[in-house]
Amino acid sequence: MRVVIGEDEALLREGLGLLLRREGFDVVAAVGDAPAVVDSALRLAPDLVLTDIRMPPDGLDDGLRAALRVRAVRPDVGLVVLSQHVQGQYALELLGPRPRGVGYLLKQRVADVANFVRDLRRVAAGDVALDPEVVTAMLARQDDGVERLSARRREVLGLVAEGRSNAAIARRLGITEKAVVAHVSGIYEALGLTDHADDHRRVLAVVRHLTR
């Protein structure tokens, strides 16, 4: 899998490159500013672009803007933005009206290499990967049924949006799979969503609710 990395901190950029190469990725470019992210992505045709949000030249949301410019020209490229900050609005812009092949992850999650790599591969395959804290921030922007969710169901919803199966959610929360099924059914009922057996469609259904 061909990857372009955009990160202005040299040590983190090199560290990400080493990590991904070790996991079998082909890092075709590792650059330090947003214009270089766009140029590399359009010139080298990677399968995935992994970029920081706050990058030169302005140090604001240049990385996000670069990712969106890439998506406008190459909608087939997977996009994952990394950040130290949780911004629900950034997530909404990245996801757009038809979320597919995108991810918003917090930098501290990189330490969990197995899950981080799994999320990158999922995004490259067309899935959506959201950090649980990002989901919470997006939920905070909504008032259509979300206020009726209990704290536990918000937690379950976050894991659903990560792409976890019912069995995986049960293991993570230390509850039975039957309890997870009940929570998921309650979530769909509260949010007015139709349940699907396919995990990928579950994620998109939840995300579409959050972005509508």
Side-chain angles (χ1 to χ4, degrees), residues 26-98:
D26 179 11
V27 179
V28 296
V31 299
D33 61 70
V37 170
V38 176
D39 175 71
S40 298
L42 299 185
R43 180 168 48 85
L44 300 173
D47 303 295
L48 181 72
V49 172
L50 173 64
T51 182
D52 192 4
I53 288 181
R54 297 187 178 181
M55 295 185 69
D58 297 327
L60 299 173
D61 59 353
D62 302 67
L64 174 66
R65 299 299 157 203
L68 294 176
R69 286 196 291 274
V70 171
R71 172 54 54 91
V73 179
R74 291 285 311 279
D76 56 313
V77 176
L79 301 175
V80 174
V81 297
L82 287 174
S83 181
Q84 293 177 331
H85 310 280
V86 178
Q87 291 284 350
Q89 183 58 41
Y90 287 169
L92 293 172
E93 291 185 51
L94 179 67
L95 290 164
R98 297 182 62 83

Side-chain angles (χ1 to χ4, degrees), residues 104-173:
Y104 186 141
L105 304 175
L106 298 186
K107 286 185 176 180
Q108 57 264 37
R109 307 294 180 184
V110 177
D112 186 349
V113 174
N115 281 329
F116 177 63
V117 169
R118 182 208 63 177
D119 286 341
L120 296 187
R121 295 190 185 281
R122 284 179 49 225
V123 169
D127 285 354
V128 174
L130 299 176
D131 191 279
E133 291 186 33
V134 174
V135 175
T136 299
M138 294 171 68
L139 286 171
R141 300 177 62 88
Q142 311 297 316
D143 60 7
D144 182 13
V146 173
E147 73 281 355
R148 295 195 294 274
L149 296 181
S150 66
R152 173 62 89 185
R153 287 187 174 176
R154 286 172 185 256
E155 193 173 15
V156 170
L157 178 58
L159 293 170
V160 167
E162 283 188 74
R164 308 283 184 175
S165 67
N166 288 345
I169 294 171
R171 289 193 299 271
R172 172 72 70 86
L173 300 181

